[in-house]
Amino acid sequence: MDIEERPLLSASVRERDVDLVLVQLVQTSQPFREWFREQLAPNTDQSRFIGVSHSVVTPNGESDIELGFKTDRGDSQLILIENKITASFQDQQIERYYERGEQYVSNGDCEAFTVGLIAPTQYVNDAEREAFDSVVTYEKLVSYLDSIDHDGVPYFQTIFESAIEKRHEQQLNSYPLHANLNGRIMDRALSKIRHLVSDKTSATPNYEIDTRSPWLQSQAEGHPDAIRYQFKIQLEQDQRTITPGDVEVRLDIESDADLSGEVEAKAVRFEQEGFEYTGNSTFGVVHDYWEGVDASDLDDESFLDEVAERYAELVTLGHKVLTEPA
């Protein structure tokens, strides 16, 4: 095969490949560096870049990447970053990041620190978003790179996109049950709500089913873009057994949006229809759920119909409540 016909990557992308791409971008692109800092530490003062390090090993453990900045007041801040594609977290791995940051402060290495996660969207669930100070997805990185002038952008995007695909393939291989059920439930629900969630130019709504928390984002005029409707099958599956768990339908708000007050003001409307307003600001702001669901329930077509019906009811009610005048 001629060299021009060969693929850019001949081997599977590893976390180290992504680490080094991020380190290079931080080191060589000021626009990326400033944007990246804002994603990971959005509440800090304007700051000056000090340095970036890869694979920082301490007696407490290892940081994949560490960034250093100094604020206009002269305070040093470190950002400790964990990068994941497919690997599970080690025991106490997240906690050790925070312990490491506290030790840096105690030693006088910095005045403050934050801990962030970089991963494909399919890797990130509620637990990760709650455990880390910030999360930046590979998909968000790919999108942002379109906006900067850097000769390496096509290669960097290829690395991120290959890692996203690697995670996607693992998700399908690890959770075939979920991918199959998600599609069946979403198809049932869309038969009732497609007219609400599609825009005027396309019959295809914006949704994702190949995850453990499939979601739908409305394209309807007047509906807040930051609202996502999800259902979640929380049963665990391995090669031989399925452990009973819960199934949930819920309304989420993207973390950088300020809509929780608007939903809270209209909480009674959801409660009148049997949904629970939880008071959460992002995940499961409004929800309903089934407890103790087992494999036999998931084989029952009437149960799938029930979940799809309730999901469609939440989407329908959400559109009615959130698009009406204040």
Side-chain angles (χ1 to χ4, degrees):
M1 180 184 296
D2 292 337
I3 190 168
E4 63 266 24
E5 298 176 354
R6 296 174 192 165
L8 183 60
L9 300 177
S10 59
S12 177
V13 172
R14 299 172 298 171
E15 289 176 358
R16 176 180 171 82
D17 298 324
V18 175
D19 291 345
L20 295 177
V21 163
L22 288 169
V23 168
Q24 183 174 357
L25 277 164
V26 168
Q27 189 70 32
T28 62
S29 172
Q30 180 179 355
F32 178 86
R33 183 165 62 239
E34 294 178 352
W35 174 85
F36 198 43
R37 179 193 60 80
E38 289 172 359
Q39 305 307 304
L40 292 164
N43 298 318
T44 57
D45 297 333
Q46 185 70 26
S47 56
R48 176 175 60 83
F49 176 60
I50 299 174
V52 57
S53 298
H54 173 245
S55 188
V56 181
V57 179
T58 73
N60 167 272
E62 179 184 5
S63 300
D64 287 337
I65 301 171
E66 292 185 1
L67 305 182
F69 294 89
K70 189 177 288 291
T71 69
D72 288 342
R73 295 177 301 178
D75 296 335
S76 297
Q77 176 164 5
L78 291 179
I79 303 175
L80 285 60
I81 301 172
E82 171 63 17
N83 175 35
K84 292 289 189 185
I85 300 177
T86 59
S88 300
F89 285 101
Q90 303 169 21
D91 184 42
Q92 299 294 304
Q93 185 177 15
I94 301 174
E95 290 80 359
R96 290 199 302 275
Y97 264 91
Y98 285 93
E99 292 170 2
R100 198 149 56 247
E102 293 289 353
Q103 189 63 50
Y104 286 153
V105 173
S106 178
N107 292 344
D109 297 322
C110 63
E111 280 72 38
F113 73 94
T114 59
V115 179
L117 172 67
I118 311 298
T121 296
Q122 289 188 340
Y123 189 97
V124 182
N125 59 29
D126 297 357
E128 277 79 50
R129 292 190 181 277
E130 292 171 2
F132 286 89
D133 294 323
S134 56
V135 174
V136 181
T137 65
Y138 288 6
E139 289 82 354
K140 195 168 187 178
L141 287 159
V142 170
S143 178
Y144 175 76
L145 288 176
D146 282 331
S147 69
I148 67 171
D149 182 16
H150 194 298
D151 289 344
V153 162
Y155 174 71
F156 299 149
Q157 288 179 319
T158 297
I159 291 289
F160 288 124
E161 289 166 352
S162 297
I164 292 167
E165 181 61 26
K166 181 176 181 177
R167 174 60 184 178
H168 178 68
E169 291 175 357
Q170 187 214 44
Q171 191 87 9
L172 292 178
N173 293 334
S174 299
Y175 302 105
L177 166 76
H178 294 82
N180 176 272
L181 289 174
N182 291 346
R184 291 159 67 189
I185 292 171
M186 186 68 82
D187 285 345
R188 286 168 163 84
L190 283 176
S191 68
K192 304 175 184 296
I193 59 176
R194 188 180 296 274
H195 66 290
L196 289 175
V197 298
S198 303
D199 65 20
K200 295 179 180 179
T201 62
S202 172
T204 304
N206 183 21
Y207 68 98
E208 172 63 71
I209 64 170
D210 292 330
T211 70
R212 299 190 67 185
S213 300
W215 54 264
L216 183 152
Q217 183 181 38
S218 177
Q219 301 178 63
E221 184 175 353
H223 188 281
D225 291 338
I227 297 291
R228 289 198 177 191
Y229 299 96
Q230 293 197 347
F231 58 87
K232 190 170 185 178
I233 302 172
Q234 302 183 77
L235 283 70
E236 296 296 332
Q237 178 191 15
D238 60 27
Q239 295 298 322
R240 298 183 179 180
T241 61
I242 297 174
T243 303
D246 299 340
V247 173
E248 179 186 30
V249 298
R250 70 192 202 195
L251 181 153
D252 291 353
I253 302 174
E254 293 181 0
S255 59
D256 57 352
D258 185 19
L259 288 173
S260 56
E262 179 179 343
V263 176
E264 180 181 11
K266 300 177 178 180
V268 65
R269 299 284 301 280
F270 291 99
E271 293 171 341
Q272 288 172 345
E273 300 302 324
F275 293 99
E276 178 185 1
Y277 171 70
T278 66
N280 297 338
S281 60
T282 52
F283 303 109
V285 182
V286 175
H287 77 158
D288 198 1
Y289 60 94
W290 296 257
E291 295 181 295
V293 176
D294 60 24
S296 63
D297 295 315
L298 299 181
D299 287 333
D300 185 346
E301 294 296 325
S302 64
F303 178 73
L304 300 186
D305 287 339
E306 181 180 347
V307 174
E309 179 69 28
R310 193 61 170 153
Y311 181 63
E313 289 173 1
L314 176 61
V315 175
T316 301
L317 181 60
H319 278 72
K320 183 176 180 180
V321 170
L322 297 172
T323 58
E324 64 186 14

